[in-house]
Amino acid sequence: VLAVMKDGKEVKTVSAGEYVGELNLLVDQAPSTADPKNKNKSTKPKVTLVPKTDAEIYHVDPEIYRAVVQAGTKKEEENKLALLKKVPFLDELTEENRIKLIRTMMMVDFKEGDTIVSRN
């Protein structure tokens, strides 16, 4: 069990199987003292994790995480672009406009029997 401390006050408790620090994976933040690569021990994190019991914690390097996510995003964009190239009425789109379009596309799951489109 971990206490999440902000300004010296406990703001949250993290139990086994839960996660914390996801924002740090997505945006550049000051290095944490829990980061094994941290060379600058004088940098104080804005939020501190304090174990309330013995704890094993997995550290994910933010740079590696972002690289993995970006690689997955690039592959997904390539798949969407290939799909759009198969749609005849989109042939007139420039490559730049196709890229803009694929960045707005989202996968939506439907269950058997769901209505996908309904028009009057």
Side-chain angles (χ1 to χ4, degrees):
V1 177
L2 303 174
V4 180
M5 309 293 287
K6 188 170 184 178
D7 298 325
K9 295 180 182 172
E10 186 174 331
V11 294
K12 181 179 177 181
T13 300
V14 181
S15 299
E18 295 182 313
Y19 59 90
V20 67
E22 62 277 10
L23 185 59
N24 190 50
L25 293 174
L26 301 174
V27 294
D28 290 324
Q29 305 254 334
S32 164
T33 54
D35 183 343
K37 292 183 179 179
N38 182 18
K39 304 291 187 239
N40 183 2
K41 298 294 183 188
S42 65
T43 301
K44 293 183 180 178
K46 294 179 181 176
V47 175
T48 305
L49 298 177
V50 179
K52 295 174 104 175
T53 62
D54 290 348
E56 286 185 341
I57 300 170
Y58 290 99
H59 174 264
V60 178
D61 184 278
E63 288 180 34
I64 293 171
Y65 176 81
R66 283 190 294 272
V68 169
V69 169
Q70 287 172 352
T73 300
K74 183 176 181 188
K75 184 64 177 166
E76 185 179 336
E77 285 185 353
E78 289 170 356
N79 291 341
K80 289 177 182 178
L81 189 56
L83 178 65
L84 288 184
K85 287 181 178 181
K86 293 178 183 179
V87 180
F89 70 86
L90 298 177
D91 285 344
E92 302 295 320
L93 288 179
T94 64
E95 192 76 5
E96 180 182 344
N97 285 334
R98 280 192 182 117
I99 290 169
K100 287 178 183 177
L101 183 58
I102 64 172
R103 291 188 176 150
T104 66
M105 294 170 63
M106 293 186 310
M107 178 67 72
V108 179
D109 293 321
F110 293 93
K111 304 257 188 270
E112 183 178 337
D114 285 352
T115 300
I116 298 173
V117 175
S118 179
R119 304 259 183 211
N120 289 335

